[in-house]
Amino acid sequence: MLAKFFSAAVWGVDAFAVEVEVNATYGKPVTVVVGLPDTAVKESRDRVSTAVNNSAFKYPYGRVTINLAPADVKKEGPSFDLPMALGILAASEQLNARHLSDYWVVGELALTGEVRPVKGALAIALSARKHRKKGLILPAANAAEAAVVEGLDIFPVTHLREAAEFLAGTTGILPVRVDPNEVLGLFDTIEHDFADVKGQEHVKRAIEVAVAGSHNVLMLGPPGSGKSMLAKRIPGICPPLTLDEALEATKVHSVAGLLSPDQAMVTRRPFRAPHHTISDAGLIGGTATPSPGEVSLAHNGVLFLDELPEFRRSALEVLRQPLEDGTVTISRASGSMTFPAQFMLVAAMNPSPGSGGFGDAERGRSSAAAIRKYLNKISGPLLDRIDIHVEVPAVKHETLLRPGQAESSAEIRARILKARQIQHERFAAKRKVRCNAQMSSKDLKTFVALDHDSESLLRMALSELNLSARAYDRILKVSRTIADLAGDEKVNATHISEAIQYRTLDRQVWG
């Protein structure tokens, strides 16, 4: 007998429909899976047969053929275990189910028949709603994640028998409901506060400007000056995720298998800080089967790269596409995938391979050739894509011993939220632009109109600093953010002047 169930597979951060056709006939006892299955799918034959027998069902004695359509797309992972087992039960007439076309089914099976969680549940739920399915049957551990999708009933199951009885109509399962806005409202407290950082007021100002407009920032200073300490406090001043941003980030983390059991959504902006020994594939994404890398896991959040010159040159160079486009495209023999990668880059580095600063003492530790080689690990095109460059000098002892606390993260965040609200209203009609850093050249002409003094100042800076056209655009974007923080409708020479200061350090150091 032939039975058909509907499931889904994840490709990139999206899902596509898969028909699971099962045919059970008399013949030599064998189970064949066709439709470009990978090793995990092929191994499901043994998992499914054992799970069926241990769930008080009988695995059919004869030839069982399982087809996963479309047959020209590779199927990966164990998420087809549950629909295959249900299809075998239906094909062997142990399950009499109706309206199977109304549901999608996904889930991995244990040998006991227990249903285990799978990756990409949110993407599958979004695709099921797009295909106008009535409901999605999936592991209970994935239910909260999938239930944030409105307009789709989510039916959690914990065992193969429970799923079979639900489809047969002998057992009822209440659909899971989750209010995504309520989940987002559970914004956690600030773990690391800027009030603990003494001194470095100009660096804090640069970081405030960077976060307010989601601009990339590079901190240059000797060890112990507080670069990492400052970077770790950036999440505490970031604006909360919007619902759309949270869903985008959750899809990436779900596909990567990083959501904890019963976690509905990513509720805070991601903060990723990979070690400098990371491979190109680990940073950008890849392996034989393309999967999200650190740049995608930092989507709508912060990517912190400490000791920037210690990263592989090839890894740093592949950052250029996501920094420019907000996406990363990975091509392999199995196909090409595009992952979102709209993040704020925060980088930190020493001014030389030694341990000091810019002075003569440092020059004594490292030769001019060694310093030049060290600095040249960061290419000009990559520096051009970093909007703000700021020096972080060593903190003096008097500053550290000074009583009292500095300005708190809550105070800084309040100003940033006001600036982001201005940007939200400004770009309300633009779906792909959420902050100043994402403005196109056309947007700059519309939203950054310069007066005579501002234009003269910027023209002089371009000539004196020999800035590129990309750096020119970055200055305009940063100046727009500075104006928003000040509550000014128009960009003036004061805003331009501060933005230019954030572009002089790279010329002083790199030349």
Side-chain angles (χ1 to χ4, degrees), residues 222-223 352-368 370-371:
S352 73
S355 60
F358 292 103
D360 294 335
E362 167 59 22
R363 293 291 176 179
R365 294 188 187 93
S366 303
S367 65
I371 293 174

Side-chain angles (χ1 to χ4, degrees), residues 24-158:
T25 60
Y26 295 104
K28 182 180 178 181
V30 64
T31 300
V32 180
V33 182
V34 296
L36 284 184
D38 72 345
T39 303
V41 179
K42 291 179 180 178
E43 290 177 348
S44 65
R45 292 175 297 187
D46 296 324
R47 288 195 302 272
V48 168
S49 62
T50 306
V52 167
N53 290 326
N54 287 336
S55 300
F57 293 109
K58 185 177 181 181
Y59 197 82
Y61 184 86
R63 182 179 181 85
V64 177
T65 304
I66 303 172
N67 178 44
L68 306 177
D72 59 343
V73 180
K74 190 173 183 179
K75 317 302 184 308
E76 301 167 346
S79 61
F80 301 107
D81 288 5
L82 182 58
M84 288 168 61
L86 293 172
I88 289 171
L89 296 180
S92 59
E93 299 183 351
Q94 299 178 75
L95 171 62
N96 183 17
R98 300 179 180 178
H99 310 294
L100 295 181
S101 60
D102 293 338
Y103 301 96
W104 278 8
V105 184
V106 293
E108 177 185 349
L109 287 178
L111 298 184
T112 59
E114 179 187 354
V115 182
R116 291 173 173 170
V118 297
K119 298 179 181 179
L122 177 58
I124 293 171
L126 289 170
S127 183
R129 184 182 64 178
K130 183 180 178 181
H131 284 76
R132 299 180 179 179
K133 295 299 177 180
K134 181 179 178 181
L136 174 63
I137 302 172
L138 80 175
N142 295 124
E145 171 192 346
V148 300
V149 179
E150 298 179 348
L152 181 72
D153 288 335
I154 304 300
F155 299 99
V157 293
T158 59

